[in-house]
Amino acid sequence: MLQSELKLRRDKIRALMAGQKIDAALFTCNVNLIYTYGRVISGYLYLPLEGPAHIFIKRPNNVSGEFVHPIRKPEQLPDLLKEYGLAIPARLMLEGDELPFNEYTRLAACFPDTEILPCGTSLIRRARSVKTEMELGLFRRSAAAHARAYAQIPSVYAEGMTDRAFSIEIERLMRREGCLGIFRVFGRSMEIFMGSVLTGDNAAAPSPYDFALGGEGLDPSLPGGANGMLLKPGQSVMVDLGGNFFGYMCDMSRVYSVGRLPQQAYDAHQVCLEVQETVAAMAKPGVTGEDLYNAAIGVVTRAGWADHFMGIGQQAKFIGHGIGLEINEAPVLAPRMKQELEPGMVFALEPKIVLPEVGPVGIENSWAVTAEGLEKLTQAPEEIIEL
Amino acid sequence: MLQSELKLRRDKIRALMAGQKIDAALFTCNVNLIYTYGRVISGYLYLPLEGPAHIFIKRPNNVSGEFVHPIRKPEQLPDLLKEYGLAIPARLMLEGDELPFNEYTRLAACFPDTEILPCGTSLIRRARSVKTEMELGLFRRSAAAHARAYAQIPSVYAEGMTDRAFSIEIERLMRREGCLGIFRVFGRSMEIFMGSVLTGDNAAAPSPYDFALGGEGLDPSLPGGANGMLLKPGQSVMVDLGGNFFGYMCDMSRVYSVGRLPQQAYDAHQVCLEVQETVAAMAKPGVTGEDLYNAAIGVVTRAGWADHFMGIGQQAKFIGHGIGLEINEAPVLAPRMKQELEPGMVFALEPKIVLPEVGPVGIENSWAVTAEGLEKLTQAPEEIIEL
């Protein structure tokens, strides 16, 4: 990756560090290495407030470059810093929300005279929430590939399919368009394979996870998504697969139907499109996630669908979420979210309604915040498509 | 899951806790919940040394049962324990190698008068390393499904394919046989999609990860596996996909060839089969991982392949690894591994050799340790199969 791009990203982190009088950061988690170094390695990126970042690599053994050094274990860090003319930091931040407790304490013990702060995750996630031009470019390319895969979805449907079989064919389409498959989520608990394909009442199955909709899944070890039920006439099926083509998690949902659906499904779908239109018209720098959430709830409540919005029984309490290297970044479009939109933020907006005995309807697109408003990244037909 | 099975597993953990005078454990990470509760939830399983386990659930909101209680946040735990007649523990273990630092310290702060021990991960992993009869049954079923998918591999090959396209078709075969797709690895850093398909010199590309072989991958954000190269005549291709059919990570590699390979590839493959035969004949309760590793290195060295064994340039320093809910459990077949095999342990044995300009050869099967020796779980032809 271009050094100028990496410097831009590192300087965004440094600006936040300066505000908290933190004089160095140590990053070792994969998403943070992708962000600050452009690739995954096993090792550490040491970012001082001033001066270049240094990279200490365990593996692979074939990486070289200025400020790139081999390392075997973290206990070597203080000596290596001295060797390369770097001061031992007074206040060092680590990735407190990502590093396991034992790994964090081992790293902290390497710096006995340093004040160790666990805010590394929250601070780099703040930096990551506003994308650079290059990151926006990767999102645009991801969104185009995502849309190309979805355009082929009707071609892989066959009568009598289960949701599982349908999901497998769509996963293949995504992979063939270049999807890397890996679905990165912030937080240790939210496990999901490439995304979810939900039909009929399975869309109402409550999930352990904070995704928009749940689904029973195929095994209690992975409770989410398709559960093996047949795609039946008169039922809807929502495809919501993650579009990780270049490391960035593009997000997009579309609804399909087996034959015609009851009229209320089209009405409810239209309400979701109205939510999208309302939110997209309001969203611009300075507007908060809470403002957008409340506007969405207003539309849905006036239309009489509040009880079926974002699930039945167990309802998700958000309508959208920031996306980036992980599927759940800032901003969050939810109650009490006072964070204001900024140009360069990217989020998924996913108003969805679940109809008993029919299934899910609604829409999800990925959007970038511009100086004036929003840019829609995922361009594809938004009506319910009959299979 | 049967209560008797869950009790068996919990009692194995309790026996290890008693040995360290730990009077309670709190589990909240997915694999540990699958092990102790039979399913993933968002919440906590509280395991006292004596008396039944209690489950505190945030989501989903439709779970009930004896000793199952709702919870909103971990700070409620002490009051809830009192409410259900449980003493506040004197020594409580948490999942120190899995819980993020900030989550661990938040949980620990809920119990200010309790000694908190970070050994929960290592202790439950010790319990998990010896499988129950039911777990062995799930492994046998996984292995059979894994072999059924691999039997179809030649049918999805087409001339002029890339390794990526071939991988996508094999992923689909695995999914159609029931593979859940999720590839669970212990440790935060080792990310991989469903497994790896490696051909030609890509098999020698060093990896950041401690997998047997590397591969460049398709993007620097996920450096491993297929890199998009063509499958060429005279080159081998190794398929090593994870077989997670019921939560248990079955492991199996087979080698295919485009046309005939140079004779040395068949010779090297035969050496790997001899390693497997040697290790399988030696392995039984009481033998250590180091013993088995040394025996393997002996075979390979005598045959003159030591420099190409488990990679070139960057060589993996193991020949096998325990498998279970994660792909990397105890025991490890590697230098300095003094842990003795026990009946009920399950491991993958994967002697592999990489040939420049040809690709990888070798074998990987999953094995269960019995009272007398080993049971081979993954039954399928082991020769190099011409595509």
Side-chain angles (χ1 to χ4, degrees):
Chain A
M1 194 177 291
L2 285 176
Q3 286 300 317
S4 56
E5 170 71 14
L6 294 177
K7 183 165 188 317
L8 190 65
R9 298 182 188 182
R10 293 169 186 171
D11 283 347
K12 284 169 59 175
I13 301 168
R14 287 188 179 103
L16 295 168
M17 287 162 60
Q20 299 192 33
K21 301 197 188 317
I22 293 166
D23 53 359
L26 196 62
F27 296 116
T28 182
C29 293
N30 288 354
V31 286
N32 299 330
L33 291 171
I34 296 170
Y35 188 70
T36 56
Y37 186 44
R39 59 184 291 183
V40 168
I41 53 150
S42 175
Y44 308 91
L45 182 135
Y46 180 82
L47 184 69
L49 189 55
E50 288 174 23
H54 285 250
I55 296 105
F56 300 97
I57 299 193
K58 286 185 225 175
R59 299 160 184 257
N61 63 2
N62 64 343
V63 184
S64 59
E66 207 185 351
F67 311 119
V68 176
H69 323 290
I71 193 171
R72 283 176 296 106
K73 55 181 184 176
E75 286 73 16
Q76 296 174 270
L77 280 168
D79 283 347
L80 288 169
L81 293 184
K82 283 176 211 163
E83 188 176 334
Y84 299 111
L86 294 157
I88 298 294
R91 282 161 60 83
L92 171 70
M93 70 176 190
L94 301 179
E95 298 150 308
D97 292 309
E98 291 155 302
L99 284 179
F101 176 81
N102 286 339
E103 187 176 1
Y104 182 102
T105 51
R106 180 177 173 184
L107 272 173
C110 298
F111 297 92
D113 300 321
T114 296
E115 185 181 353
I116 307 291
L117 303 161
C119 61
T121 302
S122 59
L123 198 144
I124 196 171
R125 279 174 59 83
R126 211 170 338 143
R128 281 169 34 201
S129 70
V130 176
K131 275 65 183 172
T132 65
E133 274 307 315
M134 187 190 150
E135 290 181 291
L136 291 171
L138 290 172
F139 257 121
R140 287 187 194 103
R141 288 171 59 196
S142 284
H146 209 149
R148 278 197 302 277
Y150 274 35
Q152 301 164 62
I153 287 176
S155 73
V156 298
Y157 169 76
E159 225 182 281
M161 254 183 174
T162 61
D163 56 358
R164 184 173 79 87
F166 193 41
S167 181
I168 292 169
E169 300 307 323
I170 303 169
E171 293 159 16
R172 174 173 174 273
L173 294 177
M174 291 289 285
R175 290 280 288 146
R176 286 177 63 90
E177 291 296 335
C179 181
L180 300 172
I182 282 276
F183 193 111
R184 290 198 178 95
V185 186
F186 172 62
R188 60 168 178 80
S189 66
M190 290 170 69
E191 290 181 322
I192 188 168
F193 186 56
M194 296 178 68
S196 74
V197 170
L198 294 170
T199 190
D201 283 341
N202 187 40
S207 155
Y209 307 125
D210 196 14
F211 294 122
L213 299 179
E216 186 186 18
L218 295 161
D219 189 85
S221 69
L222 192 64
N227 70 346
M229 72 193 293
L230 282 173
L231 302 181
K232 292 189 206 106
Q235 293 199 339
S236 65
V237 50
M238 179 177 281
V239 176
D240 182 2
L241 262 67
N244 177 359
F245 294 87
F246 311 98
Y248 289 81
M249 293 297 311
C250 197
D251 210 356
M252 181 178 177
S253 302
R254 288 297 183 269
V255 179
Y256 304 83
S257 71
V258 182
R260 285 286 296 175
L261 301 180
Q263 184 55 40
Q264 59 164 1
Y266 299 99
D267 297 344
H269 188 73
Q270 193 57 39
V271 169
C272 293
L273 293 177
E274 281 166 33
V275 168
Q276 174 177 266
E277 198 177 336
T278 302
V279 170
M282 261 180 84
K284 62 180 179 184
V287 176
T288 69
E290 179 178 49
D291 294 336
L292 300 172
Y293 182 81
N294 288 339
I297 294 295
V299 172
V300 167
T301 304
R302 282 190 295 278
W305 285 106
D307 290 347
H308 297 72
F309 189 56
M310 306 306 284
I312 320 174
Q314 182 175 291
Q315 294 175 289
K317 288 288 180 282
F318 66 89
I319 57 160
H321 50 91
I323 50 179
L325 294 170
E326 294 171 314
I327 196 74
N328 48 354
E329 303 210 347
V332 182
L333 280 53
R336 293 183 301 283
M337 290 295 157
K338 308 290 190 190
Q339 188 181 19
E340 295 180 2
L341 296 186
E342 295 175 51
M345 284 182 165
V346 178
F347 63 84
L349 173 62
E350 52 175 330
K352 296 175 180 176
I353 287 172
V354 177
L355 296 127
E357 294 171 36
V358 175
V361 296
I363 192 80
E364 178 174 37
N365 284 303
S366 295
W367 304 79
V369 181
T370 66
E372 299 80 32
L374 295 185
E375 172 190 349
K376 188 189 279 187
L377 299 169
T378 40
Q379 302 281 354
E382 302 192 344
E383 71 274 14
I384 297 174
I385 295 171
E386 193 172 324
L387 293 170
Chain B
M1 194 177 290
L2 284 177
Q3 286 300 316
S4 56
E5 170 70 14
L6 293 178
K7 184 165 188 316
L8 190 63
R9 298 181 189 183
R10 293 170 186 171
D11 282 347
K12 283 169 60 176
I13 302 168
R14 287 189 180 103
L16 295 168
M17 286 163 59
Q20 298 192 33
K21 303 198 189 315
I22 293 165
D23 51 1
L26 196 62
F27 296 117
T28 181
C29 293
N30 288 354
V31 285
N32 299 330
L33 290 172
I34 297 169
Y35 189 68
T36 56
Y37 186 43
R39 60 183 289 183
V40 168
I41 53 149
S42 175
Y44 308 92
L45 183 135
Y46 181 82
L47 184 68
L49 189 55
E50 287 174 22
H54 286 249
I55 297 105
F56 299 97
I57 298 193
K58 286 187 225 174
R59 301 159 182 259
N61 64 2
N62 64 343
V63 184
S64 59
E66 205 184 353
F67 311 119
V68 176
H69 323 291
I71 193 170
R72 282 176 298 105
K73 55 180 185 178
E75 285 73 16
Q76 296 174 270
L77 279 168
D79 284 346
L80 288 169
L81 293 183
K82 282 177 210 162
E83 189 178 332
Y84 299 111
L86 293 157
I88 299 295
R91 282 164 59 85
L92 173 69
M93 70 176 189
L94 300 178
E95 298 149 311
D97 292 309
E98 292 156 300
L99 284 179
F101 175 80
N102 287 338
E103 186 176 2
Y104 182 101
T105 52
R106 179 178 173 184
L107 272 174
C110 299
F111 297 92
D113 300 322
T114 297
E115 186 181 353
I116 307 293
L117 303 161
C119 61
T121 302
S122 59
L123 196 144
I124 196 172
R125 279 174 59 83
R126 210 170 339 144
R128 281 168 36 199
S129 71
V130 177
K131 274 64 182 172
T132 65
E133 273 307 316
M134 187 191 151
E135 290 181 291
L136 291 171
L138 289 172
F139 257 120
R140 287 187 194 102
R141 288 171 59 196
S142 285
H146 209 150
R148 278 197 301 276
Y150 274 35
Q152 301 165 63
I153 286 176
S155 73
V156 298
Y157 169 75
E159 225 182 282
M161 252 183 175
T162 62
D163 57 358
R164 183 172 78 86
F166 193 42
S167 182
I168 292 169
E169 300 307 321
I170 302 168
E171 293 160 16
R172 176 174 172 272
L173 294 177
M174 290 289 283
R175 291 279 287 144
R176 285 177 63 91
E177 291 296 335
C179 180
L180 300 172
I182 282 275
F183 192 111
R184 289 198 179 94
V185 186
F186 173 62
R188 59 168 179 80
S189 67
M190 290 170 69
E191 290 181 322
I192 187 169
F193 186 57
M194 295 178 67
S196 74
V197 171
L198 295 170
T199 189
D201 282 341
N202 187 41
S207 156
Y209 308 125
D210 196 15
F211 294 122
L213 299 179
E216 187 186 17
L218 296 162
D219 189 85
S221 68
L222 192 64
N227 69 347
M229 72 193 293
L230 282 173
L231 302 182
K232 294 188 204 105
Q235 294 199 338
S236 65
V237 49
M238 179 177 282
V239 176
D240 182 3
L241 262 67
N244 176 359
F245 295 87
F246 311 99
Y248 288 81
M249 294 296 312
C250 196
D251 210 355
M252 179 176 177
S253 302
R254 288 297 184 269
V255 178
Y256 305 83
S257 71
V258 182
R260 283 287 296 176
L261 301 179
Q263 184 55 41
Q264 60 164 2
Y266 300 98
D267 297 344
H269 189 74
Q270 192 57 38
V271 170
C272 293
L273 293 177
E274 281 166 32
V275 169
Q276 174 178 265
E277 198 177 337
T278 302
V279 170
M282 263 181 83
K284 62 181 179 182
V287 176
T288 70
E290 178 177 52
D291 294 338
L292 299 173
Y293 181 82
N294 289 340
I297 294 295
V299 172
V300 167
T301 304
R302 282 190 294 277
W305 285 105
D307 290 346
H308 297 73
F309 189 56
M310 305 307 284
I312 320 174
Q314 181 176 291
Q315 295 175 287
K317 288 285 178 284
F318 66 89
I319 55 158
H321 51 90
I323 49 178
L325 294 170
E326 294 171 313
I327 197 73
N328 48 353
E329 302 209 348
V332 182
L333 279 54
R336 293 183 301 284
M337 290 293 157
K338 309 289 187 191
Q339 187 182 18
E340 294 181 1
L341 295 187
E342 295 175 50
M345 284 182 166
V346 178
F347 64 85
L349 174 63
E350 51 177 329
K352 297 175 180 176
I353 287 172
V354 177
L355 296 128
E357 294 169 37
V358 176
V361 296
I363 193 79
E364 179 175 36
N365 285 304
S366 295
W367 305 79
V369 182
T370 66
E372 299 81 33
L374 294 186
E375 170 189 349
K376 187 188 283 188
L377 298 169
T378 40
Q379 302 280 354
E382 302 192 346
E383 70 276 14
I384 297 174
I385 295 171
E386 194 173 324
L387 294 170

